[in-house]
């Protein structure tokens, strides 16, 4: 490829690229569940800008192109809730999702003193479940969102994981 992918904090100047990437990446999730009204596909630019303002958002860049993103918000219990992890389809399967997870976990631990992270993923999203399990996340419950059963997964930061080969 000739360039390396870098991970850094997102800015409001990244918002449109993040939203376009999110829309592209979550098409496959919508197809799995037969629901094209899922939150990542209906989020507005204003809502994303609000998340950038109040949360923790990282992007992966290949040159000037945003090719991955993940975000987190810290809830009232001090737990960070991760959401909308996405990697451009042409770069999936190369460890970028794992790098984004590590990056946001480290950022949350250092900048926000977070010790526990939680996320939700659809029960039929096998690739997502495999990634999260390989990074030390364990199922802690389920939730229902529209027609999708979500698996809640959590990780205590500092928990080692078995990196997959």
């Amino acid at each position: 490829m000739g360039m390396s992918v870098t991970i850094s904090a997102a800015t409001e100047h990244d918002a449109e690229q993040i939203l376009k990437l999110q829309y592209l990446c979550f098409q496959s999730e919508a197809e799995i569940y037969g629901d094209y009204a899922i939150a990542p596909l209906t989020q507005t630019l204003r809502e994303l800008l609000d998340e950038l303002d109040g949360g923790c958002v990282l992007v992966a860049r290949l040159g000037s192109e945003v090719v991955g993103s993940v975000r987190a918000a810290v809830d009232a219990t001090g737990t960070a809730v991760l959401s909308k992890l996405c990697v451009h389809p042409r770069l999936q399967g190369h460890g970028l999702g794992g790098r984004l997870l590590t990056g946001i976990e480290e950022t949350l631990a250092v900048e926000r003193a977070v010790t526990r992270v939680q996320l939700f993923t659809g029960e039929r999203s096998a690739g997502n479940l495999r990634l999260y399990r390989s990074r030390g996340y364990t199922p802690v419950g389920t939730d229902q969102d529209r027609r999708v059963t979500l698996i809640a997964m959590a990780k205590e930061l500092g928990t080692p994981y078995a990196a997959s080969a």
Side-chain angles (χ1 to χ4, degrees):
M1 211 175 276
M3 284 190 207
S4 62
V5 175
T6 59
I7 296 176
S8 61
T11 70
E12 67 181 33
H13 300 292
D14 298 317
E16 286 187 30
Q17 282 193 70
I18 293 169
L19 203 57
K20 288 176 184 176
L21 176 67
Q22 174 180 306
Y23 189 81
L24 172 67
C25 292
F26 280 89
Q27 293 293 318
S28 58
E29 288 294 298
E31 186 174 344
I32 289 170
Y33 298 100
D35 185 356
Y36 288 85
I38 59 176
L41 298 183
T42 60
Q43 185 174 36
T44 66
L45 182 58
R46 177 75 263 155
E47 290 167 339
L48 175 56
L49 287 167
D50 289 344
E51 285 184 356
L52 282 166
D53 188 42
C56 179
V57 183
L58 297 183
V59 291
R61 295 178 203 284
L62 182 60
S64 62
E65 180 186 7
V66 173
V67 294
S69 182
V70 64
R71 56 196 94 157
V74 181
D75 70 15
T77 68
T79 297
V81 180
L82 302 187
S83 65
K84 299 178 184 82
L85 172 66
C86 59
V87 173
H88 194 288
R90 77 175 189 272
L91 295 175
Q92 291 176 3
H94 298 286
L96 189 50
R99 285 182 57 201
L100 282 162
L101 279 174
T102 297
I104 200 144
E105 290 169 0
E106 290 173 354
T107 300
L108 290 164
V110 170
E111 294 179 8
R112 312 244 176 142
V114 168
T115 58
R116 186 170 192 272
V117 181
Q118 185 169 330
L119 56 82
F120 297 86
T121 193
E123 69 177 345
R124 289 184 254 160
S125 301
N128 296 350
L129 289 164
R130 190 171 37 255
L131 170 65
Y132 299 137
R133 284 187 178 113
S134 77
R135 305 301 287 199
Y137 288 82
T138 56
V140 294
T142 60
D143 196 6
Q144 195 70 30
D145 181 35
R146 299 170 48 87
R147 293 181 274 170
V148 178
T149 299
L150 299 172
I151 306 294
M153 302 183 85
K155 175 181 178 179
E156 301 299 322
L157 293 184
T159 302
Y161 64 90
S164 57

